[in-house]
Amino acid sequence: MMRILTFALVLLGAMGLPVVAQTTFPALYDVTGVAADDVLNIRAEASGSSEVVGSLGSNQQEVEVVAADGSGKWLQVNTQERSGWVAARFMKARETGDYLLGRSVNCFGTEPFWSLDMIQGARATLSRQDADPLSFPAGLMSRGAGRTDRMIV
């Protein structure tokens, strides 16, 4: 079965069709193959004739991709407080493992009030209403074993 899947992916790539290898979303992608003096259009729908609702710079990195269309030719992105679609052929999945959502993560809660500010791969700071802030090294987030809705560091 694995040989058939591998052959199909190689065949699609040889035919010039986009192949979206990333199947777990959200994920981070970089813009690639766009001229330095050009932008990658973000469209309202997964179509080249759809309205342009924004753009990504030619060297934009760490773009949050939340879905792919059924054809694999379009990726849905979240950027600039908007959601839209970009051509998959101009996007490349980041090769940093399961590095999710963004470099910076901020969480908070109540009773007692607390917050956690984390820069993935660098540091995390836990602040509580009743104690001094506590800083410590932080790794990269990854999915909890067998879970799609839990993250671990």
Side-chain angles (χ1 to χ4, degrees), residues 42 53 56 64 77-84:
I42 302 172
V53 295
L56 298 172
E64 180 185 17
V77 299
N78 285 339
T79 184
Q80 303 164 355
E81 303 300 323
R82 293 197 73 158
S83 182

Side-chain angles (χ1 to χ4, degrees), residues 34-39 58:
V34 175
D37 62 345
D38 204 355
V39 296
S58 62

Side-chain angles (χ1 to χ4, degrees), residues 29 31 40-43 53-57 60-66 75-86 91:
Y29 280 65
V31 174
L40 176 60
N41 288 328
I42 302 172
R43 299 194 174 267
V53 295
S55 64
L56 298 172
Q60 184 81 38
Q61 296 182 336
E62 296 185 356
V63 177
E64 180 185 17
V65 174
V66 295
L75 296 173
Q76 187 177 23
V77 299
N78 285 339
T79 184
Q80 303 164 355
E81 303 300 323
R82 293 197 73 158
S83 182
W85 296 87
V86 297
M91 300 292 286

Side-chain angles (χ1 to χ4, degrees), residues 100-123:
L100 298 173
L101 295 180
R103 184 156 167 75
S104 176
V105 177
N106 306 95
C107 308
F108 62 92
T110 60
E111 298 185 30
F113 291 100
W114 62 272
S115 67
L116 176 69
D117 298 313
M118 183 174 77
I119 299 175
Q120 294 192 64
R123 65 161 178 78

